Amino acid sequence: MSDEEEIDDDAVAAEWAAMAGGDGEDSDAADALFDESGDDDMAAAMAGTDRVLDQTEIDSLLGFDGDEDDEGTKSGIQALISSGLVAYERLPMLDIIFDRYVRMMSTSLRNFTSDNFEVSIDNMTSIRFGDYLNSIPLPAMLAVFYVEEWDNYGLITIDSNLIYSIVDALLGGRRGTAPMRIEGRPYTTIEHTLVEEMLAVMLEDLCHAFEPLSPVKFTLDRLETNPRFATIAQPTNAALLIKMRADMEDRGGRMELVLPYATIEPIRELLLQRFMGEKFGRDSIWETHLVKELFNTEVPLEVILDEQIMTLGEVLGLEVGQTLMLNTQSEAEVEMRCSGIPMMTGRVGKLGRHVAVKIDKKFDTKKGVL
């Protein structure tokens, strides 16, 4: 049994020696295979860096999807660029103001053109002023208006479709036919004059829309056809863009109102207010309720019989049982005060078991005299 075990041990030792002898060759082969595969992976990686991106991948990286009308969320570099813009949703009162504005302007332009004029807001958004100037479709008219109270400027853009529609409506064009557009020529003096008249109506309505919040005056400064001459802010400055649509049955167009945030900065605190309810401006129901509750408020009324000046030592020397003599007679005139404010004067008397005061004069708090 021991011999078999020894033979087996020798056989096992021989097998281990053979495996050890061939292990170097196998390891060298494995290393060569690893080196070959590693070179292939490295070559593939190097080849990947030279791959050219197509236009779709470039647009996705930059955040441009090619759809100019898409107002959704932005991504890529475009999101980083626009991250500094102040969202108009942080100014809740603007929605109330411009909703009031389009309703007033619809009525005013309906009377101005004697046509069924309807104005609606497409959207409100924030944009860089330079980006907006580069996106204006030409030909168009750009009206620069001045805000006296805020000491700054704003911009109204009217596209060619609306210009020709207004001119056609004011000069008696037939309904049901699209206005004729003549491209490649500048706007005439008549067209400039008619558009200025329409802008005067629009700016007056804009004054009335802001009036309940803050009285302001918008005046037309100039009318331009080249966006470079309508620069009212730095290209990188943020601005509020309100896109509106004007329809006159089968004709109409678009107009855009641009207000740089520097322009509305003086009333920013007022625009931050959150408006509750459906009325804008004064609420007569609330005022009536407030006045009613004020008249039911209880206030203390003091009758001053006499005033004496005493030293601190005399006041500290007062004891229980002492009598203070008042320099007031039974029919003397006394003063009545409310929270230290003189209200009226009267004479002290007696009514039944009660001490009473008969009011003689009322004190005028505005003038400070009786």
Side-chain angles (χ1 to χ4, degrees):
M1 191 68 178
S2 60
D3 295 339
E4 293 178 357
E5 292 178 354
E6 291 177 358
I7 294 173
D8 292 340
D9 290 340
D10 294 339
V12 171
E15 291 178 1
W16 276 103
M19 293 177 61
D23 186 40
E25 297 177 359
D26 294 341
S27 62
D28 293 340
D31 293 341
L33 181 61
F34 175 77
D35 293 340
E36 184 179 354
S37 62
D39 293 340
D40 294 340
D41 294 339
M42 183 63 69
M46 293 298 292
T49 57
D50 296 336
R51 187 172 65 87
V52 179
L53 299 177
D54 58 12
Q55 187 62 39
T56 303
E57 293 173 331
I58 294 175
D59 292 341
S60 178
L61 176 63
L62 297 178
F64 301 104
D65 55 0
D67 187 3
E68 296 181 355
D69 295 334
D70 186 11
E71 300 294 339
T73 58
K74 299 179 181 179
S75 60
I77 297 178
Q78 184 68 16
L80 295 177
I81 296 175
S82 303
S83 61
L85 295 181
V86 181
Y88 84 94
E89 289 87 353
R90 297 183 184 179
L91 305 174
M93 194 60 69
L94 282 176
D95 290 329
I96 307 298
I97 291 175
F98 285 104
D99 180 69
R100 173 186 174 93
Y101 177 54
V102 295
R103 287 188 283 108
M104 297 174 62
M105 189 164 54
S106 297
T107 304
S108 300
L109 293 180
R110 190 177 299 119
N111 297 330
F112 178 70
T113 60
S114 300
D115 204 337
N116 188 16
F117 209 106
E118 293 293 337
V119 182
S120 59
I121 294 180
D122 286 347
N123 58 14
M124 297 173 59
T125 184
S126 298
I127 191 173
R128 302 280 181 184
F129 186 77
D131 296 339
Y132 172 72
L133 288 184
N134 295 331
S135 65
I136 297 177
L138 298 177
M141 283 193 184
L142 295 86
V144 178
F145 60 89
Y146 178 67
V147 190
E148 298 178 3
E149 287 75 8
W150 305 339
D151 192 22
N152 218 316
Y153 293 88
L155 185 66
I156 296 179
T157 302
I158 303 177
D159 68 350
S160 58
N161 290 332
L162 183 57
I163 294 174
Y164 290 120
S165 299
I166 290 294
V167 172
D168 190 62
L170 294 178
L171 297 182
R174 291 182 299 176
R175 299 182 182 180
T177 59
M180 181 181 300
R181 296 180 57 183
I182 303 176
E183 302 293 347
R185 67 162 178 83
Y187 294 108
T188 64
T189 304
I190 295 178
E191 291 170 341
H192 274 269
T193 303
L194 295 180
V195 171
E196 287 180 0
E197 293 293 332
M198 183 187 69
L199 288 170
V201 176
M202 294 173 58
L203 293 177
E204 184 178 358
D205 289 337
L206 191 60
C207 296
H208 294 320
F210 275 94
E211 185 176 1
L213 185 69
S214 175
V216 64
K217 180 67 175 177
F218 299 94
T219 56
L220 181 63
D221 185 73
R222 63 185 184 274
L223 199 61
E224 302 288 350
T225 56
N226 191 336
R228 293 183 300 174
F229 300 142
T231 302
I232 59 175
Q234 295 294 329
T236 57
N237 288 0
L240 178 68
L241 173 61
I242 302 97
K243 294 184 178 180
M244 295 173 285
R245 173 76 185 179
D247 294 311
M248 294 183 293
E249 295 182 356
D250 57 340
R251 52 192 173 185
R254 294 181 179 274
M255 47 189 170
E256 299 172 347
L257 176 63
V258 179
L259 288 174
Y261 278 97
T263 300
I264 60 178
E265 181 65 24
I267 60 168
R268 181 174 176 272
E269 296 296 331
L270 298 176
L271 296 175
L272 288 173
Q273 299 177 4
R274 293 190 176 275
F275 182 76
M276 303 298 294
E278 297 181 354
K279 289 195 65 177
F280 183 66
R282 298 179 58 184
D283 190 347
S284 58
I285 299 177
W286 171 250
E287 290 180 355
T288 304
H289 176 71
L290 181 61
V291 170
K292 182 179 178 181
E293 293 299 323
L294 284 177
F295 279 115
N296 292 331
T297 303
E298 295 182 358
V299 293
L301 188 63
E302 302 172 347
V303 178
I304 309 301
L305 297 178
D306 187 26
E307 291 181 339
Q308 296 183 8
I309 299 176
M310 304 176 64
T311 63
L312 181 59
E314 292 175 346
V315 174
L316 294 177
L318 294 176
E319 297 179 357
V320 178
Q322 283 186 332
T323 301
L324 294 176
M325 302 300 297
L326 300 179
N327 298 323
T328 304
Q329 300 179 358
S330 58
E331 294 295 330
E333 187 177 17
V334 296
E335 187 178 271
M336 286 175 282
R337 300 176 183 175
C338 179
S339 299
I341 300 176
M343 301 298 295
M344 55 198 73
T345 59
R347 299 184 181 277
V348 180
K350 192 173 183 181
L351 182 62
R353 297 181 179 180
H354 301 281
V355 177
V357 178
K358 182 180 179 182
I359 299 175
D360 292 336
K361 300 177 182 179
K362 293 181 65 177
F363 193 86
D364 191 348
T365 56
K366 296 182 179 179
K367 297 181 180 181
V369 295
L370 290 173

